[in-house]
Amino acid sequence: MSTSGLEASRELAERYSVVVRSLTPDEWSAPSRCAGWSVKDLVAHTGSNFAALTKPPEPDPAVPPPTTAEELQNRLVDARRDWTYTQVADEFLAHLDGAVGVLGAMQRDDLAEQPMVLTDLGTYRTHQLSDAFAFDMWCHMYVDLLGPDGPVVRPIPDPEDDLVRVAVEWMWTGLPQMCTPVSAVLDRPIGVKLTGAGGGEWTLVPGSELLTVETGLSRTDTVITSRATDFVLWGTTRSSWRDHVSIDGDRSYAEKILDTVDII
């Protein structure tokens, strides 16, 4: 069960709500670090996902369903472009508790192991959706929204191990299905060591079709090292891995792997 993901989602949603309540008109309209989205778009993204959990929208038979996660999320945000800041904030706040409640219900034995297809991102167990939400909120709030690199300046805590770890673990869970080009170039194991809050050691191992991610460093003489919080940046291509990563071993091989990583 993804109980740690559920607890992280609950905590991050509450923190996010505090920021949403405090935003000024200038902050609402500022560009976020998420390419192409303003702060209002960013909050609309999270709020629309909360709403979709608590009250799934009826599909429109006249509109083809989205085929990618990016298309789906852009549709949700585009539908709220003409909303006021107050409307966007109200949706976010109105559905927060309900969304966390749904994520909690997904931990039940009768639902937890059911497969859930996330468009082109792959198929996961239902209980893992709380991990995805925790990753999404941590990344959007602490990377795209708040300073030092985001447009909104608020006091923020130092990165906390339990919250960063859930985000990192979801990235490892999603990498094989979200980044199939990695499997195409991975012909032998390669290690990854992440330091600081949320850190740990993992090995990417070739599979018959898709790679697998194992805990610990094994069967490899090439290791990629960075801070765990930086992994959220370069693993989602918000910044170049070259700004954050050191490589011990076969550099050309590691670079080939790193150039294919793009987790959504």
Side-chain angles (χ1 to χ4, degrees), residues 20-21 28 43 83-94:
V20 168
R21 290 186 178 96
W28 275 107
V43 177
W83 286 22
T84 66
Y85 305 145
T86 300
Q87 288 174 303
V88 170
D90 285 349
E91 179 180 57
F92 181 106
L93 298 171

Side-chain angles (χ1 to χ4, degrees), residues 2-205:
S2 298
T3 54
S4 58
L6 177 61
E7 290 306 312
S9 290
R10 182 179 289 113
E11 176 65 22
L12 290 166
E14 179 57 33
R15 293 185 189 186
Y16 207 157
S17 73
V18 172
V19 176
V20 168
R21 290 186 178 96
S22 74
L23 292 170
T24 68
D26 285 345
E27 289 171 337
W28 275 107
S29 59
S32 78
R33 198 179 181 193
C34 189
W37 280 1
S38 67
V39 169
K40 189 183 88 168
D41 295 332
L42 202 66
V43 177
H45 159 71
T46 304
S48 64
N49 283 329
F50 285 167
L53 270 185
T54 59
K55 189 178 180 181
E58 292 290 336
D60 184 348
V63 179
T67 58
T68 68
E70 183 177 10
E71 181 184 3
L72 171 61
Q73 297 306 323
N74 281 330
R75 283 190 191 184
L76 292 172
V77 171
D78 289 344
R80 291 156 173 78
R81 293 279 184 201
D82 295 331
W83 286 22
T84 66
Y85 305 145
T86 300
Q87 288 174 303
V88 170
D90 285 349
E91 179 180 57
F92 181 106
L93 298 171
H95 292 280
L96 185 156
D97 289 339
V100 173
V102 172
L103 293 174
M106 289 178 172
Q107 307 300 311
R108 296 194 325 240
D109 290 343
D110 58 327
L111 292 176
E113 296 301 321
Q114 294 298 314
M116 174 178 286
V117 179
L118 301 180
T119 56
D120 62 325
L121 303 185
T123 301
Y124 303 89
R125 298 302 179 187
T126 294
H127 71 89
Q128 294 175 306
L129 193 63
S130 61
D131 299 338
F133 264 75
F135 159 76
D136 194 70
M137 284 188 284
W138 194 92
C139 185
H140 285 317
M141 183 166 58
Y142 288 124
V143 175
D144 298 327
L145 180 64
L146 297 175
D149 297 315
V152 176
V153 178
R154 297 288 187 278
I156 58 175
D158 291 333
E160 296 138 296
D161 187 77
D162 55 340
L163 300 182
V164 180
R165 179 170 293 277
V166 169
V168 167
E169 290 287 1
W170 171 252
M171 294 173 73
W172 289 133
T173 297
L175 182 134
Q177 296 183 81
M178 295 182 198
C179 304
T180 54
V182 179
S183 295
V185 297
L186 188 75
D187 57 28
R188 59 189 184 276
I190 189 168
V192 181
K193 180 178 180 181
L194 302 179
T195 62
E201 297 177 341
W202 295 266
T203 302
L204 310 188
V205 180

Side-chain angles (χ1 to χ4, degrees), residues 168-247:
V168 167
E169 290 287 1
W170 171 252
M171 294 173 73
W172 289 133
T173 297
L175 182 134
Q177 296 183 81
M178 295 182 198
C179 304
T180 54
V182 179
S183 295
V185 297
L186 188 75
D187 57 28
R188 59 189 184 276
I190 189 168
V192 181
K193 180 178 180 181
L194 302 179
T195 62
E201 297 177 341
W202 295 266
T203 302
L204 310 188
V205 180
S208 57
E209 294 184 7
L210 297 178
L211 66 89
T212 59
V213 181
E214 299 179 353
T215 302
L217 296 177
S218 62
R219 294 180 284 162
T220 179
D221 55 6
T222 299
V223 177
I224 297 162
T225 301
S226 87
R227 292 190 303 176
T229 50
D230 289 339
F231 175 50
V232 179
L233 296 176
W234 62 261
T236 61
T237 66
R238 279 169 168 78
S239 62
S240 171
W241 63 261
R242 290 174 173 81
D243 296 332
H244 307 287
V245 165
S246 63
I247 298 168

